[in-house]
Amino acid sequence: NAGVMQNPRHLVRRRGQEARLRCSPMKGHSHVYWYRQLPEEGLKFMVYLQKENIIDESGMPKERFSAEFPKEGPSILRIQQVVRGDSAAYFCASSPPAGWETQYFGPGTRLLVL
Amino acid sequence: GESVGLHLPTLSVQEGDNSIINCAYSNSASDYFIWYKQESGKGPQFIIDIRSNMDKRQGQRVTVLLNKTVKHLSLQIAATQPGDSAVYFCAEISGGSYIPTFGRGTSLIVHP
């Protein structure tokens, strides 16, 4: 049973470009969470999605950031017009419908904005 | 505001010793706590959890203690091994929420 998968593992973008981060949850999991981690800091919640629905996006910046979890395919975190401050590790986690308390994390995508 | 934090940013131990990682929380409404282990270049890995109606919970080589009176959480690792070297995060979830709030993390270094 494959775990949570994220790709790419590393992403380099220049300022002003777009970054697309993908997350495939564990099999049977319909809940996806995105977190951002700055160096030597804990994870900060960004957004919580279920299939085709955004449940909670209270941690996501109002501009340039968006997330989706379509009926088919992976969840996508999209960052438009990236700035250097967006450089961080972005982690996705998933949980089953009745088990939100235990989230399984992917390996993360490390975004570097030049 | 409410916060979750760790007392020590780095803990160095010898292989075979017991390790204790501490965490303080300030949200009295927190009723669920989780410890995660994060190895370099990887995502956090669930270790053990505890609910606020418990004081202690044991797993394989790990024990979590919860002291609600002083809002303190600890993770004890018995017979620490080099493979235990990682950053350990505590996280808390308050009643009615589903989003964990993570502390800053403690780096555990195990010397062979």
Side-chain angles (χ1 to χ4, degrees):
Chain A
N1 183 17
V4 178
M5 294 189 290
Q6 290 186 249
N7 69 83
R9 294 293 307 277
H10 300 273
L11 182 60
V12 180
R13 285 288 178 266
R14 296 191 181 279
R15 282 178 297 170
Q17 291 184 321
E18 178 181 287
R20 279 185 178 239
L21 287 62
R22 297 175 187 79
C23 169
S24 296
M26 287 180 68
K27 186 177 181 180
H29 288 190
S30 57
H31 296 202
V32 166
Y33 313 79
W34 285 94
Y35 296 84
R36 177 163 62 179
Q37 184 178 36
L38 296 174
E40 298 189 356
E41 291 192 8
L43 281 72
K44 304 293 185 187
F45 166 76
M46 298 181 73
V47 61
Y48 165 35
L49 309 103
Q50 295 178 15
K51 285 283 187 180
E52 300 184 280
N53 284 306
I54 296 176
I55 306 303
D56 185 336
E57 56 182 348
S58 59
M60 201 147 71
K62 295 287 186 282
E63 298 179 349
R64 302 189 297 107
F65 285 72
S66 62
E68 63 176 7
F69 189 16
K71 185 177 180 181
E72 301 290 339
S75 175
I76 306 287
L77 178 66
R78 182 184 180 200
I79 310 172
Q80 295 178 289
Q81 299 174 334
V82 296
V83 300
R84 288 204 174 125
D86 296 333
S87 296
Y90 292 84
F91 290 95
C92 165
S94 73
S95 69
W100 56 264
E101 297 159 328
T102 304
Q103 299 178 18
Y104 296 86
F105 284 82
T109 293
R110 279 140 188 89
L111 173 65
L112 175 62
V113 180
L114 302 177
Chain B
E2 305 286 10
S3 65
V4 175
L6 296 174
H7 293 304
L8 299 173
T10 303
L11 177 63
S12 292
V13 300
Q14 291 296 129
E15 181 178 1
D17 288 350
N18 295 332
S19 302
I20 300 177
I21 300 172
N22 297 302
C23 180
Y25 66 97
S26 58
N27 186 351
S28 56
S30 297
D31 59 2
Y32 182 60
F33 304 87
I34 311 166
W35 279 102
Y36 287 93
K37 172 187 180 183
Q38 185 176 23
E39 297 176 270
S40 181
K42 297 183 179 180
Q45 176 186 359
F46 173 91
I47 302 173
I48 192 167
D49 59 358
I50 189 168
R51 295 197 175 278
S52 58
N53 60 353
M54 302 171 68
D55 297 321
K56 179 180 180 179
R57 192 168 186 212
Q58 288 184 294
Q60 188 176 14
R61 281 201 308 119
V62 295
T63 301
V64 55
L65 298 177
L66 176 62
N67 186 330
K68 294 180 286 293
T69 302
V70 296
K71 296 188 182 69
H72 185 267
L73 190 71
S74 69
L75 176 70
Q76 300 179 1
I77 305 174
T80 315
Q81 303 168 0
D84 295 327
S85 294
V87 176
Y88 290 80
F89 293 96
C90 68
E92 56 95 6
I93 299 178
S94 59
S97 178
Y98 41 73
I99 303 300
T101 299
F102 286 82
R104 184 164 171 251
T106 290
S107 176
L108 175 65
I109 300 172
V110 182
H111 301 282

